[in-house]
Amino acid sequence: MKKIIIMIILASVAWFAYQEFSAPPSAGKSKSRPIANVVVAKAAMEPVRDEVEALGTSKAYESITVTPKVTEVATQINFNDGDSVEKGRLLVQLQDREQLARVTVAKVRVSDHQRELERIRSLVTSQTIAELERDRLLTLIDTAKAELVQAQSALNDRKIIAPFNGRLGLRQISVGSLVSPGTIITTLDDISIIKLDFSVPERFLQSLAIGKNVEATAVAFPDELFSGRVVSIDSRVNPTTRAVTVRAEIPNTEHRLLPGMLMKVKLIKQSREALILPESAIIPIQGRHYVYLVNEEDVVIKREVALGLRKRGWVEVLKGVELGEQVVIRGILKVRPGDKVKVQFSERFSFLEEAKEGPTA
């Protein structure tokens, strides 16, 4: 009995539902869709760049650790921490009295042999003295000159001189310190130009070339962009990382960048003109991409597009949109193809803002 009652109720509900949906709509119930407001942007040609991003480490253009060649006591230090020095400047003087004496002795010996040679030169010509004596004196002169060069070299080793222009690091010794080969006195770096080494995956080898532009940023200067160019590419690919090391040089006339800094690098592979749209205009559906266009009658048209390069805030359109066409970038969820809309134009500077906000209803 209960089953029969339930079946009757269900049949009644179905009948009334049929009558409701099959009946023509009354004049009081018909309503037209309101005209939605949308924001549009015109498809425009803009310069775009194909880039490779990487992390690099800065290095000085020239860099050495200043150390002595000999074991000796430091008698004079002619620099302070962080000094900028020119090539040839004396940095440290080591004890050299013994070497000065040896140089003096060698000079005296050379002069003595040369005077003796001058005295016997005329006698050799007149054959009063055998040529053997002249040859002996010539040998003594050559030997004395070699000893003078050796003594002078030992004397020069007691002077530590800057081999190039640069900035010194911290001083590690004091006057009176006994230094020997390997003792670190200070560092010297030429940072007028910074070398920046970074790794690029091997799949980009074809687009690498000497002279390509790079842009780099450092944590210490987040709002500043440092520009340079590629000067060399390693001849080998790292078999572990499958990447090749690229070296760029960045002018550093103000000496703001220092060796050892971690920098974010953008290698500019190619720069070109492309048709771009705000990223918020793209509607992804099942692996395809669409946009809503607004024609001259302010009617929405749906169109499939092919995309190219994508960056944060904008996207390159390869096919599907013509230059100057109006594309909906805000209000996408409020409209459907065929709807008439009220159009408001977006400012060009809002492209990046559109990407952050995304499509709005």
Side-chain angles (χ1 to χ4, degrees):
M1 186 65 179
K2 289 183 179 180
K3 292 184 179 179
I4 295 174
I5 294 173
I6 293 174
M7 291 177 64
I8 292 173
I9 293 173
L10 292 176
S12 299
V13 172
W15 170 256
F16 283 111
Y18 172 76
Q19 292 293 330
E20 179 69 19
F21 285 99
S22 62
S26 61
K29 293 184 179 180
S30 61
K31 292 183 180 180
S32 59
R33 288 173 56 85
I35 298 178
N37 293 320
V38 295
V39 179
V40 301
K42 287 188 176 182
M45 298 295 293
E46 297 286 345
V48 299
R49 302 186 309 189
D50 293 337
E51 303 171 343
V52 178
E53 293 188 355
L55 293 176
T57 302
S58 62
K59 297 181 179 180
Y61 188 69
E62 300 288 353
S63 179
I64 62 167
T65 299
V66 180
T67 58
K69 294 181 180 179
V70 296
T71 299
E72 197 55 84
V73 175
T75 59
Q76 188 178 358
I77 297 176
N78 297 324
F79 70 91
N80 294 315
D81 297 345
D83 277 357
S84 294
V85 299
E86 296 182 354
K87 179 180 179 180
R89 174 174 165 176
L90 176 65
L91 302 179
V92 179
Q93 176 66 60
L94 303 180
Q95 181 66 257
D96 61 353
R97 284 180 298 180
E98 181 180 351
Q99 286 67 37
L100 280 171
R102 289 182 180 178
V103 168
T104 301
V105 170
K107 287 181 178 179
V108 170
R109 192 171 297 165
V110 170
S111 298
D112 184 52
H113 292 324
Q114 286 178 336
R115 285 195 301 270
E116 187 174 356
L117 178 63
E118 289 297 326
R119 284 198 302 269
I120 71 169
R121 191 180 297 277
S122 58
L123 297 178
V124 172
T125 302
S126 62
Q127 296 184 349
T128 304
I129 296 179
E131 293 184 0
L132 182 62
E133 182 64 18
R134 181 193 63 185
D135 294 341
R136 185 185 68 82
L137 286 174
L138 288 174
T139 300
L140 291 175
I141 290 173
D142 290 340
T143 302
K145 287 182 177 180
E147 292 174 350
L148 176 59
V149 171
Q150 184 179 20
Q152 188 65 54
S153 177
L155 178 63
N156 293 340
D157 287 344
R158 269 67 184 175
K159 297 180 185 294
I160 301 176
I161 295 173
F164 52 81
N165 298 344
R167 176 179 291 180
L168 296 171
L170 302 179
R171 178 165 60 92
Q172 304 294 337
I173 65 167
S174 301
V175 174
S177 298
L178 178 64
V179 298
S180 57
T183 300
I184 297 176
I185 296 175
T186 186
T187 58
L188 177 61
D189 297 312
D190 179 2
I191 57 175
S192 59
I193 296 175
I194 288 293
K195 294 178 181 178
L196 187 60
D197 291 353
F198 56 97
S199 297
V200 175
E202 62 178 335
R203 66 177 179 274
F204 297 117
L205 275 176
Q206 188 175 1
S207 58
L208 295 179
I210 304 297
K212 291 281 188 179
N213 294 327
V214 299
E215 294 178 348
T217 56
V219 176
F221 310 104
D223 300 325
E224 189 168 354
L225 197 64
F226 299 92
S227 300
R229 64 182 186 89
V230 174
V231 295
S232 60
I233 302 169
D234 200 357
S235 59
R236 296 182 179 182
V237 174
N238 189 312
T240 303
T241 62
R242 302 301 176 187
V244 62
T245 301
V246 178
R247 172 169 291 176
E249 289 184 357
I250 299 176
N252 188 35
T253 53
E254 297 182 1
H255 296 175
R256 304 186 70 190
L257 299 177
L258 299 178
M261 296 177 69
L262 180 67
M263 304 188 72
K264 185 177 180 181
V265 191
K266 289 184 179 179
L267 172 64
I268 303 170
K269 298 191 299 178
Q270 183 183 11
S271 181
R272 54 192 170 83
E273 293 284 325
L275 187 70
I276 68 169
L277 287 174
E279 197 173 26
S280 60
I282 306 303
I283 307 171
I285 301 177
Q286 295 181 349
R288 296 185 178 184
H289 299 91
Y290 300 86
V291 295
Y292 280 168
L293 302 175
V294 178
N295 62 14
E296 297 178 354
E297 288 78 27
D298 292 338
V299 175
V300 176
I301 302 172
K302 182 180 178 181
R303 188 181 297 172
E304 184 177 358
V305 293
L307 305 182
L309 188 65
R310 300 189 70 158
K311 294 290 183 180
R312 182 180 180 182
W314 57 267
V315 60
E316 178 187 6
V317 179
L318 303 177
K319 185 174 62 175
V321 177
E322 299 296 330
L323 180 64
E325 287 190 307
Q326 300 178 151
V327 181
V328 179
I329 61 174
R330 287 188 182 178
I332 292 176
L333 300 180
K334 297 190 295 185
V335 298
R336 290 179 293 184
D339 287 352
K340 192 172 181 64
V341 294
K342 291 180 181 179
V343 172
Q344 179 182 349
F345 284 93
S346 170
E347 298 290 343
R348 290 184 60 186
F349 63 77
S350 64
F351 277 19
L352 290 178
E353 296 174 1
E354 300 295 340
K356 295 177 182 178
E357 297 177 5
T360 57

